[in-house]
Amino acid sequence: LQKQLLANAAGLVKPGGKLIYAVCTLTKSETTDVVEAFENQFKDFEPLAVANPLNPELPASPRVWIWPQDSDGNGMFVAAWRKIGGTSSTSPKP
């Protein structure tokens, strides 16, 4: 189901747009397995590094793990991509 939801969302992203996949689970089947399947299928997306909101001193990464012991809550996994082509909305206008 997660793979299908992500594939459906990918079809709505314009060139230069961002796609964020975030789940409140740490299972391989809903985290890295989904990300690897997406990246194998959608070659028009490139990984996009994002900061860990609970640990901003860590280097930004396209995959962020938030562990329960670090967040005082549930675990969470985040992956991010940018669709290749076009410009992002944060790019300066000529």
Side-chain angles (χ1 to χ4, degrees):
L1 180 59
Q2 297 293 0
K3 292 175 188 174
Q4 186 60 49
L5 290 170
L6 190 55
N8 290 345
L12 303 173
V13 179
K14 293 181 180 181
K18 299 174 186 175
L19 178 61
I20 308 296
Y21 174 70
V23 290
C24 295
T25 182
L26 301 174
T27 64
K28 185 175 186 289
S29 65
E30 290 184 282
T31 58
T32 55
D33 284 355
V34 172
V35 168
E36 289 167 7
F38 178 82
E39 290 177 347
N40 286 330
Q41 182 179 358
F42 292 90
K43 301 295 185 185
D44 56 338
F45 282 83
E46 61 187 3
L48 176 66
V50 293
N52 182 323
L54 298 181
N55 224 343
E57 67 276 358
L58 291 175
S61 173
R63 298 179 187 184
V64 175
W65 296 89
I66 299 174
W67 300 102
Q69 64 270 26
D70 296 334
S71 66
D72 236 4
N74 294 334
M76 187 160 198
F77 174 81
V78 179
W81 300 271
R82 182 183 315 273
K83 190 166 188 178
I84 298 169
T87 58
S88 73
S89 59
T90 58
S91 296
K93 305 281 185 214

